[in-house]
Amino acid sequence: MKTEDIAAIKTLLSTSKNIVIVCHKNPDGDAIGSTLGLYHYLIKHNHKAQVITPNNYPDFLKWVPGENTVLKYDTQTTDSNTLIDAADIIFTLDFNALHRAGAMEGVLKQNKAIKILIDHHQAPDDYAEYMYSDVTMCSTCQMIYNFIAMLEDTALIDANIATCLYLGIMTDTGSFRFRSTTSTTHRIIAELIDKGADNTAIHNAVYDTNSYNRLQLLGCALSNLKVLPEYRTAYITLSQDELQRFDYKKGDTEGVVNYALSLDNVIFAAIFIEDRQEGIIKISLRSKGAFSVNEFSRAHFNGGGHNNAAGGRSDFALNPTIEKFISILPSYKDALNYDE
């Protein structure tokens, strides 16, 4: 972030402001961690801050400090709009284009508040007065830590802020195993633990609490796993009927695509999940090495994200979507079979 931008933001935040903090639709650990981490920081400076998410999020994120203060736009629209209308500043975290905020897109576009973007996804839209965009960062939570450091305020990081930021870094790095995890990331994590983040408790809350139905759904997903060895690709499907059979709850399919990617000699993995309510197939893509699922998703499935982790969608039914996916792969055969 430019030095002059940091100076301007520091001046902006030197007096009490009405601040709204928003994240993308279907928030994940990095979205919840970064918004609530920033929230706890801002209220320490006596700002009137409010986190508003476009919609609900999984139960395994409901324990995060401050989560009980969050407004969900889809069910608390009037209250949310009142706060957005009164905002002096709107922080948009962990997304790079306003359409990622779902039904909030229109009110955010129309609002005249100063907008500050903090995000690590590629190709951000130019809608914010101040932008902290860095695709090399492992997570938006690490960027929030850096943002606080730029404001020379790391002394204010307490157990609540540390817990929120640890959560997002942990989940967006796959528990610190992705290439985006740097030595700097580990140094920040060490400081967050020193500040009060309970690493074991956070990991257990996110990864080690499963319902019987969630594990049954995982079994169903794995039984649907298909491998295309000539393209070093594997994919998983879940129909709406299968989701309903196992009483699907938001977040139950989190991380399932990684099982496909874990197969020997597979470097490209996908999961296709039918959503009849929205009339789409939701797609999560993962890869190893140089193959960019961000570019693949942007080119074919109206999505994007990071080089090795991206999302997309299809307006076709489930089977035609799979047929489309398979039909595209021959064009990428050389890239998928390239050994670095």
Side-chain angles (χ1 to χ4, degrees):
M1 201 171 197
K2 296 177 182 177
T3 304
E4 55 267 33
D5 287 350
I6 285 293
I9 292 171
K10 199 168 186 177
T11 300
L12 196 62
L13 296 177
S14 64
T15 57
S16 181
K17 297 290 193 300
N18 294 322
I19 300 176
V20 167
I21 309 164
V22 301
C23 63
H24 55 77
K25 187 178 179 183
N26 299 321
D28 56 7
D30 195 26
I32 296 300
S34 60
T35 53
L36 284 172
L38 181 61
Y39 162 81
H40 286 294
Y41 168 74
L42 292 172
I43 62 175
K44 284 196 160 204
H45 277 285
N46 298 314
H47 296 292
K48 296 177 181 176
Q50 177 66 56
V51 174
I52 303 175
T53 62
N55 60 345
N56 206 354
Y57 36 86
D59 286 346
F60 61 74
L61 297 175
K62 297 289 177 69
W63 58 270
V64 184
E67 185 278 329
N68 60 313
T69 69
V70 175
L71 291 180
K72 287 82 173 176
Y73 189 83
D74 60 344
T75 57
Q76 297 168 291
T77 308
T78 301
D79 289 344
S80 297
N81 282 337
T82 298
L83 289 164
I84 292 170
D85 289 342
D88 302 305
I89 303 170
I90 297 176
F91 280 90
T92 66
L93 305 187
D94 202 37
F95 65 95
N96 57 0
L98 291 179
H99 70 82
R100 295 286 319 282
M104 299 178 71
E105 177 183 7
V107 296
L108 293 175
K109 277 185 176 179
Q110 295 167 10
N111 190 277
K112 302 302 181 184
I114 294 169
K115 295 183 180 69
I116 301 174
L117 175 150
I118 302 178
D119 178 57
H120 64 138
H121 295 90
Q122 297 184 9
D125 284 355
D126 185 19
Y127 64 82
E129 282 81 1
Y130 301 104
M131 294 179 62
Y132 178 21
S133 173
D134 189 342
V135 300
T136 68
M137 287 288 163
C138 69
S139 61
T140 301
C141 277
Q142 182 167 328
M143 298 179 75
I144 293 296
Y145 176 90
N146 291 344
F147 180 69
I148 294 172
M150 290 173 193
L151 296 174
E152 301 176 308
D153 253 353
T154 55
L156 285 184
I157 295 177
D158 59 12
N160 285 338
I161 298 172
T163 296
C164 293
L165 300 187
Y166 187 103
L167 163 69
I169 297 172
M170 178 189 75
T171 53
D172 249 32
T173 60
S175 295
F176 318 109
R177 73 180 187 272
F178 297 158
R179 285 188 181 275
S180 57
T181 309
T182 64
S183 59
T184 299
T185 305
H186 283 292
R187 282 189 285 270
I188 290 171
I189 283 295
E191 182 169 348
L192 295 177
I193 292 173
D194 289 342
K195 295 279 191 179
D198 186 333
N199 52 309
T200 300
I202 295 168
H203 187 279
N204 288 345
V206 173
Y207 295 118
D208 294 341
T209 303
N210 285 305
S211 68
Y212 177 80
N213 282 329
R214 185 182 187 190
L215 292 181
Q216 292 291 300
L217 181 62
L218 173 61
C220 176
L222 294 179
S223 72
N224 293 343
L225 174 65
K226 300 289 189 297
V227 182
L228 304 171
E230 67 271 35
Y231 304 116
R232 301 176 72 186
T233 295
Y235 68 91
I236 293 168
T237 61
L238 281 170
S239 70
Q240 188 73 61
D241 290 340
E242 289 168 328
L243 296 175
Q244 290 172 348
R245 188 189 316 156
F246 299 107
D247 193 26
Y248 167 79
K249 300 288 190 302
K250 188 180 288 290
D252 280 355
T253 58
E254 187 80 20
V256 172
V257 66
N258 295 320
Y259 285 92
L261 191 63
S262 72
L263 287 168
D264 184 42
N265 202 40
V266 165
I267 67 165
F268 182 26
I271 186 169
F272 301 88
I273 303 172
E274 185 178 26
D275 187 330
R276 287 184 192 151
Q277 183 176 355
E278 293 193 31
I280 62 171
I281 306 301
K282 295 179 179 178
I283 306 168
S284 289
L285 304 170
R286 299 292 185 269
S287 67
K288 297 174 184 174
F291 186 75
S292 175
V293 290
N294 172 62
E295 293 178 8
F296 184 91
S297 184
R298 284 180 180 275
H300 304 290
F301 289 107
N302 303 302
H306 307 289
N307 281 337
N308 297 121
R313 56 181 284 169
S314 168
D315 295 323
F316 298 149
L318 185 58
N319 286 337
T321 297
I322 300 304
E323 290 170 4
K324 175 183 176 181
F325 175 72
I326 294 172
S327 73
I328 293 166
L329 292 177
S331 301
Y332 292 90
K333 186 172 184 177
D334 289 345
L336 289 166
N337 283 283
Y338 175 75
D339 289 317
E340 293 183 289

